[in-house]
Structure formats: C-alpha cells, structure tokens
C-alpha cells in the first residue's frame, strides 16, 4: 500500500485529523466571538490602514487555510517541488492582485468623496 | 509496489505510467487535480479581490454584514448575527473531516469505513447547500425594507432608540387599483418589476404620523455605524429625495445598501455553491463506485483521494468567503 499502513503511523494520521479539526473549530469560534463583540480597542486601532480586528480575522483565516491545505489535502506529504508549484503561484499572484485592486479602490473612493461633484443628491 | 498512493494505474508503458519516475512525485490524476485547484483558487481570488475593490470604492457606505445575515432558523425576529453562518462553516469543516477520514480508510483498503465516511460527507454537503439556499431566500425577501433615493442610494428607518424598524410597521398600504404591466401585453421586452405592496406615498404618510421615527442613511460614521439623521433632516431627506420603495435584494436593488453588494453576494456564494453542488454529485458517483467495489478491484482508492482534494478545496474557499463576506 502506498501510504504506510503500519499501525503506529496510522494512529498518528487519525490523531492528526482530529487535532486539526479542533484547531480549525477553535479558530472559527474565536473569529465568530470577536465578530459579535467587536472589542472597541481592536476596532478603533489601525495598523497600515486596517483595523486590528480585521488583521486578526485575516491572519486567522490564513492559518486555517494552512491547516486545511497541509493536513487535509496532504500537502505535507507531497514533494517539495509540488508544494512550491502550488503555493508560490497562488501566494504571489493573489497578493499582487489584491494589492493593486485595493489601492485602486481606495483611490477611486477618494475621488468620490473629495471631488467637486456630489454623488448623493 | 511503488511508493505512491497508486499501486497500478494500468497505464504502464505510457508517458505517465512509466516506472518509478513520476513528475513531482505525484500520480497523473492527483497532479491534474492540483492544477485544477490552483487555477480555481486564482478564479476565486479574482472574484474576492473584485469584491474588495468595490468595497474600498464604497468603503463609507457598504452594508454591515451583521445586519444583513442575522437570521437563525425557527428564531423569527431574533437578532442573531452570524450564528447561522458560523454553523454552516462548522458543517463544512466537519464534512471535510469525514472526507479525510474516508481517504484515510481508503489507504487501508477498508471499504466499509470509506462508505460510512463518504455518506457522512455527502450529507454534510447537502445540509450546507440547503443552508445556503435558505440564506439566499432571506436575503432576497429582505426584512425591513428601505426607500431608494434619487441618487440611487437608499435610506432606512429607525425608531427612537435607533433600532431598525420595518416599513410595514409604520406604513399601511392605501387601496389602489393598478395592474402590473406584463411583457405579454406590451411592446417587446418591456416589463416592470413586481409591484410593492407599499407605495412611497404610504411610507411618507406613515413616517409623518410617527413623530419618533428617523432616517438612517448608508453613510458609515467614525464609530463604524450607520449615520442617523435628526427628525427634521429625516423628513427633508425622505420628502425631497425618496423615489421608491425597495423590499429585499436583487441584482439592481438592495434594501441593505449598495446594490453591488447583492451582485457580489449572489455571484460569489452562488459560484461557491455551484462548486459544492458539483462536489456532492462527484462524491455520489464515487460513493456508488466504492459500493460496487470498483476501487477494491483496482487495488487503490486514489479516486476517493482525488475527490477529497476537491472537497477540501471547496472548504478552503468557504473559509475565505466567510471571512471577507461576513467578518471583515
């Protein structure tokens, strides 16, 4: 059989699955609870034009994504080359796309709000 | 036997079936699934980035998600922001767990366990789809209603405490006998949207009669809440710029705020839902193959692994949709 089916390794795989499930659940609960209470100091403090709260959401999401891809999709067992092909492509293209579109979006918003034309009449 | 998940592909001697040398040390099928997943991930990030663009463009008037998705089954009128979406997220994560357990059972050639876990995964997928349909229904029907203004913005109504109040709580429909214009009675391709029970006149009359009511605009204040006008400003706003009543949301009108929000909501969750639907269908096909023993005969459950990769990807996308639509 392809993957090691000796008893010890197998028990490890099962344990890992439940471990990851618990991590993902806890992260989701933290996100939802924060989203409901919205602590003031997290909402009103910014870091690079994004509130702390939103930073927390985004970082936790990326952590969740890491666990899903690495553990559930077995990326940790794939060869290094396959891992790099998939992950680097995604990370670079997506960061570029997001950066350029968000910068452009805020530029247009500035034009809307500071321009001489009223958009709400 | 080779040191990968596939024992024998039946393609020995062909380009990808040749011996121990596999490109990136993965079987053909799995590699192609990874190709697909990468391209699909880029598609989804394109959509989400476009959502981000539009949101930044209208950053001061975007709807607040807590107010849009605050329903929970069997709890009518209870404000339950995000509880249900959180539950949906758990259902999907859990179906991912049963999927990976099925893959794990496949590695050990335990057919019965593969069957059980796949059945649970399919069930989870179906529950998720149902929940999404329910979310759509709530969004399309709307809850409070709003008035559209001349500039294409909307205004909503709040009571003395600043709590939202539905249009039909203060306005009563006046009797009218107007028939809806249908395409079949008129010129080609011209039709009108369904008539609202309440007309703008009814809303204006109801608003004037209830002295405590005020108007809430789309504008988000420093506090991250929607701006509420004074009574005088409210009357002025409603009377001078109101043009029509909006109930619920569709692609061109949205009682919750910018119509663009509705467009993105339908498109992105719809596209994700379509992925879930395809996932469920493929899972069902593979499930029956497992039942009749196709993979048992083949000596490998790699097909379960491949559909598993797809299923986890759907979960992965949902994690991002959840964050960017409901949390941030």
């Amino acid at each position: 059989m392809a993957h090691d089916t000796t008893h010890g390794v197998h028990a490890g795989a099962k344990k890992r699955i439940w471990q990851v499930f618990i991590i993902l659940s806890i992260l989701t609960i933290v996100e939802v609870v924060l989203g409901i209470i919205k602590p003031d100091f997290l909402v009103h403090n910014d870091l690079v034009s994004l509130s702390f709260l939103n930073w927390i959401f985004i970082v936790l999401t990326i952590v969740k994504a890491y666990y899903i891809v690495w553990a559930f999709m077995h990326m940790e067992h794939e060869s290094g080359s396959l891992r790099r092909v998939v992950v680097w492509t995604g990370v670079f293209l997506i960061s570029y796309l997001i950066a350029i579109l968000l910068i452009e979006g805020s530029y247009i918003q500035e034009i809307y709000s500071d321009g001489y034309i009223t958009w709400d009449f | 036997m080779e040191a990968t998940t596939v024992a024998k592909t039946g393609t020995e001697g062909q380009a990808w079936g040749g011996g121990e040398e596999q490109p990136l040390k993965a079987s053909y099928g799995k590699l192609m699934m990874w190709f697909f997943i990468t391209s699909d991930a880029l598609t989804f990030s394109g959509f989400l980035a476009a959502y981000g663009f539009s949101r930044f463009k209208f950053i001061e008037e975007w709807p607040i998600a807590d107010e849009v998705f605050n329903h929970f089954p069997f709890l009518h009128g209870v404000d339950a922001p995000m509880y249900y979406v959180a539950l949906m997220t758990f259902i999907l994560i859990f179906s991912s767990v049963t999927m990976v357990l099925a893959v794990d059972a496949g590695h050990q050639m335990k057919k019965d366990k593969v069957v059980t876990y796949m059945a649970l995964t399919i069930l989870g997928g179906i529950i998720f789809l149902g929940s999404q349909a329910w979310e759509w229904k709530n969004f399309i029907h709307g809850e409070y209603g709003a008035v559209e203004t001349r500039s294409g913005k909307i205004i909503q109504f709040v009571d003395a405490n600043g709590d939202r109040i539905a249009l039909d709580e203060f306005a009563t429909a006046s009797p009218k006998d107007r028939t809806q214009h249908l395409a079949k009675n008129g010129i080609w391709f011209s039709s009108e949207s369904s008539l609202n029970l309440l007309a703008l006149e009814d809303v204006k009359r109801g608003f004037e009669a209830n002295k405590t009511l005020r108007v809430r605009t789309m504008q988000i204040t420093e506090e991250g809440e929607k701006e509420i006008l004074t009574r005088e400003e409210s009357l002025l706003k409603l009377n001078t710029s109101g043009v029509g009543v909006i109930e619920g949301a569709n692609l061109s009108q949205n009682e919750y705020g910018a119509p663009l929000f509705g467009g993105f909501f339908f498109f992105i969750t719809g596209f994700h839902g379509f992925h879930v639907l395809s996932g469920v269908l493929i899972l069902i096909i593979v499930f029956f193959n497992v039942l009749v023993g196709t993979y048992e005969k083949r000596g490998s459950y790699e097909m379960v692994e491949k559909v598993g990769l797809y299923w986890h990807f759907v979960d992965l996308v949902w994690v991002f949709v959840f964050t960017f639509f409901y949390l941030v």
Side-chain angles (χ1 to χ4, degrees):
Chain A
M1 230 34 22
H3 276 247
D4 323 62
T5 42
T6 51
H7 184 69
V9 174
H10 170 60
K14 269 229 160 111
K15 207 179 128 200
R16 172 96 175 128
I17 293 170
W18 289 109
Q19 207 180 15
V20 170
F21 171 62
I22 289 165
I23 295 172
L24 292 177
S25 307
I26 291 173
L27 293 183
T28 307
I29 291 170
V30 170
E31 282 183 337
V32 171
V33 169
L34 280 179
I36 290 168
I37 5 179
K38 290 194 172 159
D40 273 348
F41 74 99
L42 289 180
V43 176
H44 297 301
N45 286 307
D46 291 2
L47 179 71
V48 204
S49 67
L50 197 60
S51 71
F52 283 166
L53 188 64
N54 285 357
W55 273 115
I56 294 176
F57 288 149
I58 290 169
V59 169
L60 290 184
T61 303
I62 291 170
V63 173
K64 277 182 359 187
Y66 164 83
Y67 277 109
I68 291 172
V69 176
W70 253 248
F72 287 173
M73 296 168 96
H74 295 295
M75 195 53 126
E76 54 198 7
H77 300 307
E78 300 291 353
S79 71
S81 44
L82 173 58
R83 206 151 52 208
R84 286 190 287 272
V85 164
V86 173
V87 178
W88 287 4
T89 310
V91 168
F92 285 130
L93 276 171
I94 293 168
S95 330
Y96 172 73
L97 186 66
I98 289 173
I100 206 117
L101 283 184
L102 295 192
I103 293 169
E104 200 61 19
S106 2
Y107 168 70
I108 294 177
Q109 194 266 329
E110 272 169 41
I111 302 279
Y112 271 173
S113 58
D114 303 339
Y116 292 108
I117 299 172
T118 177
W119 297 91
D120 190 7
F121 42 88
Chain B
M1 270 195 204
E2 304 164 24
T4 59
T5 37
V6 177
K8 281 276 188 279
T9 55
T11 53
E12 283 81 1
Q14 290 180 30
W16 218 289
E20 299 290 318
E21 285 303 310
Q22 285 179 324
L24 305 180
K25 297 192 184 65
S27 76
Y28 174 80
K30 256 165 76 177
L31 203 54
M32 290 304 129
M33 186 49 100
W34 274 112
F35 262 106
F36 169 72
I37 285 173
T38 309
S39 68
D40 214 18
L42 292 176
T43 308
F44 269 108
S45 47
F47 295 157
L48 281 174
Y51 171 81
F53 170 82
S54 304
R55 185 167 172 172
F56 271 56
K57 181 175 164 186
F58 296 110
I59 196 79
E60 282 167 358
E61 47 194 58
W62 206 246
I64 298 171
D66 292 6
E67 293 179 354
V68 184
F69 309 105
N70 61 351
H71 305 272
F72 203 87
F74 312 114
L75 294 179
H76 290 290
V78 177
D79 183 42
M82 299 197 305
Y83 291 22
Y84 195 64
V85 205
L87 183 67
M88 279 165 71
T89 307
F90 275 113
I91 291 167
L92 207 56
I93 289 178
F94 196 72
S95 79
S96 229
V97 171
T98 52
M99 187 71 238
V100 73
L101 287 170
V103 173
D104 190 53
H107 284 316
Q108 303 167 69
M109 305 297 288
K110 286 182 182 156
K111 183 180 158 187
D112 294 348
K113 278 195 164 178
V114 178
V115 169
T116 318
Y117 287 133
M118 282 194 78
L120 284 172
T121 310
I122 292 167
L123 186 69
I126 290 170
I127 295 174
F128 182 84
L129 278 175
S131 310
Q132 214 163 35
W134 187 77
E135 285 264 280
W136 272 45
K137 190 209 82 179
N138 282 330
F139 187 68
I140 292 168
H141 280 266
E143 195 175 2
Y144 296 105
V147 165
E148 190 177 11
T149 68
R150 252 184 309 166
S151 53
K153 315 262 178 195
I154 56 150
I155 50 180
Q156 299 167 330
F157 300 93
V158 293
D159 60 17
N161 304 323
D163 294 327
R164 296 279 300 283
I165 181 164
L167 292 184
D168 51 17
E169 281 180 61
F170 63 89
T172 40
S174 46
K176 49 179 176 278
D177 47 346
R178 177 168 170 251
T179 41
Q180 188 175 355
H181 172 70
L182 299 171
K184 65 172 182 180
N185 300 328
I187 309 160
W188 269 40
F189 302 120
S190 69
S191 59
E192 62 181 0
S193 54
S194 62
L195 294 175
N196 280 322
L197 223 51
L198 288 167
L200 182 63
E201 296 315 312
D202 305 326
V203 174
K204 280 184 181 171
R205 206 176 316 113
F207 188 78
E208 264 156 46
N210 288 273
K211 305 283 182 215
T212 56
L213 296 185
R214 292 193 290 162
V215 156
R216 198 174 85 146
T217 69
M218 284 166 85
Q219 201 71 24
I220 294 176
T221 62
E222 296 274 312
E223 300 298 304
E225 279 158 16
K226 299 277 181 180
E227 173 194 42
I228 296 175
L229 300 177
T230 62
R231 176 73 188 169
E232 292 70 39
E233 285 171 337
S234 299
L235 279 166
L236 189 69
K237 185 86 183 167
L238 179 61
N239 289 325
T240 55
S241 52
V243 289
V245 174
I246 302 176
E247 278 169 338
N250 52 46
L251 289 172
S252 56
Q253 289 181 320
N254 181 356
E255 68 154 66
Y256 300 101
L260 261 179
F261 178 84
F264 277 110
F265 176 74
F266 288 127
F267 194 72
I268 296 179
T269 63
F271 197 64
H272 177 263
F274 177 66
H275 275 73
V276 179
L277 179 69
S278 334
V280 168
L281 294 178
I282 301 167
L283 276 170
I284 289 172
I285 293 169
V286 173
F287 176 75
F288 280 112
N289 277 341
V290 174
L291 272 189
V292 299
T294 308
Y295 308 122
E296 200 71 31
K297 272 180 233 143
R298 206 178 275 180
S300 149
Y301 279 89
E302 205 200 41
M303 203 59 183
V304 178
E305 210 172 322
K306 282 183 278 197
V307 69
L309 280 180
Y310 179 75
W311 192 253
H312 300 310
F313 172 71
V314 169
D315 184 25
L316 179 70
V317 169
W318 181 254
V319 165
F320 282 93
V321 171
F322 174 62
T323 302
F324 293 111
F325 256 96
Y326 300 89
L327 290 173
V328 169

